[in-house]
């Protein structure tokens, strides 16, 4: 029990700065478009809510187990999102007709060569323009140059994270229902399995 508690507190301690950091970087991560921002914020809210429910039900073992399973599943969704993004960027690259929007100052940050930027994107070479307010379309291609590869990553990550969120929500709920017999309830200082009748009567207790 002591090890379980220490592990739980350690998880919560690590989740706190990671969730806050995710909310902070969402504005800029992978281009910071609304698709990416919203997915980051939704994951953060889901993790915060599920972990708070897990803490609230820490003395009700059955409910605590379910909410902490949800917390871990939601926290793992960005990992699945990364994997889905790898597949997504190759798919859009093979299709060949997808573009993402970049500002000129972002292009200069990535390409660094001013002449190369002005040749490929003459809009960014006009005198007196605010580079942060001029936007161009960049082709998304994993087999292109570094900028085009970055465009493919930027284009697909938000969608990939949303897909992974959906997968983890559905997956953890299926797992919880399939492992209902593993739920245990506290009697004093002892954890005991539920009998079959109790399991059937408590399947809606979430």
């Amino acid at each position: 029990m002591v090890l379980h508690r220490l592990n739980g507190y350690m998880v919560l301690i690590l989740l706190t700065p990671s969730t806050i950091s995710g909310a902070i970087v969402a504005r800029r991560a992978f281009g910071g478009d609304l698709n990416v921002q919203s997915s980051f914020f939704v994951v953060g809210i889901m993790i915060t809510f599920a972990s708070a429910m897990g803490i609230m039900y820490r003395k009700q073992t059955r409910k605590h187990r379910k909410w902490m399973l949800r917390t871990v599943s939601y926290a793992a969704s960005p990992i699945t999102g990364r994997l889905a993004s790898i597949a997504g960027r190759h798919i859009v690259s093979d299709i060949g007709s997808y573009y993402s929007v970049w500002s000129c100052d972002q292009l200069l940050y990535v390409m660094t060569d001013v002449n190369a930027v002005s040749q490929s994107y003459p809009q960014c070479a006009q005198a007196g323009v605010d580079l942060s307010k001029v936007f161009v379309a960049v082709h998304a291609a994993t087999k292109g140059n570094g900028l085009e590869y970055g465009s493919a990553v930027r284009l697909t990550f938000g969608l990939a994270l949303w897909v992974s969120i959906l997968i983890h929500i559905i997956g953890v709920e299926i797992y919880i229902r399939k492992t209902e017999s593993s739920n245990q309830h506290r009697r004093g200082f002892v954890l005991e399995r539920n009998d079959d009748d109790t399991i059937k009567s408590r399947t809606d207790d979430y």
Side-chain angles (χ1 to χ4, degrees):
M1 289 294 292
V2 175
L3 181 60
H4 176 82
R5 287 181 179 178
L6 289 175
N7 180 66
Y9 287 130
M10 183 61 67
V11 169
L12 292 175
I13 290 172
L14 294 175
L15 278 177
T16 300
S18 62
T19 303
I20 295 173
S21 299
I24 293 173
V25 303
R27 178 64 182 87
R28 302 296 179 187
F30 299 95
D33 62 24
L34 290 177
N35 201 22
V36 175
Q37 288 187 52
S38 58
S39 60
F40 268 93
F41 291 139
V42 167
V43 169
I45 292 171
M46 289 168 57
I47 293 172
T48 302
F49 179 78
S51 58
M53 294 294 288
I55 295 172
M56 185 174 69
Y57 289 122
R58 64 187 181 278
K59 293 185 178 180
Q60 299 180 40
T61 312
R62 296 179 63 260
K63 292 182 179 180
H64 175 75
R65 172 182 178 269
K66 294 174 182 179
W67 281 108
M68 294 315 295
L69 282 172
R70 292 184 178 109
T71 300
V72 174
S73 178
Y74 300 160
S77 59
I79 300 174
T80 306
R82 288 277 187 172
L83 298 176
S85 177
I86 294 174
R89 71 186 65 159
H90 286 287
I91 292 173
V92 300
S93 180
D94 289 340
I95 294 173
S97 58
Y98 284 92
Y99 293 78
S100 67
V101 178
W102 293 59
S103 64
C104 289
D105 60 343
Q106 291 174 335
L107 293 181
L108 287 170
Y109 179 81
V110 174
M111 297 181 69
T112 66
D113 188 345
V114 177
N115 292 328
V117 173
S118 61
Q119 290 177 4
S120 301
Y121 306 96
Q123 306 95 313
C124 298
Q126 298 176 7
V129 299
D130 185 349
L131 297 180
S132 64
K133 295 182 179 180
V134 178
F135 298 88
V136 296
V138 179
H139 185 235
T142 56
K143 297 180 181 179
N145 55 39
L147 183 63
E148 292 178 336
Y149 185 87
S151 180
V153 174
R154 171 183 289 197
L155 185 66
T156 56
F157 186 78
L159 174 61
L161 187 52
W162 274 114
V163 171
S164 71
I165 291 171
L166 182 61
I167 291 173
H168 280 253
I169 290 175
I170 296 174
V172 72
E173 295 304 322
I174 292 174
Y175 179 81
I176 287 173
R177 283 160 175 76
K178 291 293 185 180
T179 60
E180 183 67 30
S181 60
S182 298
N183 283 322
Q184 297 177 332
H185 59 283
R186 186 189 302 274
R187 289 183 177 175
F189 292 97
V190 180
L191 295 178
E192 297 181 356
R193 289 185 179 275
N194 299 314
D195 55 38
D196 293 339
D197 293 336
T198 306
I199 292 171
K200 292 178 181 179
S201 65
R202 293 184 177 180
T203 53
D204 60 342
D205 186 7
Y206 290 91

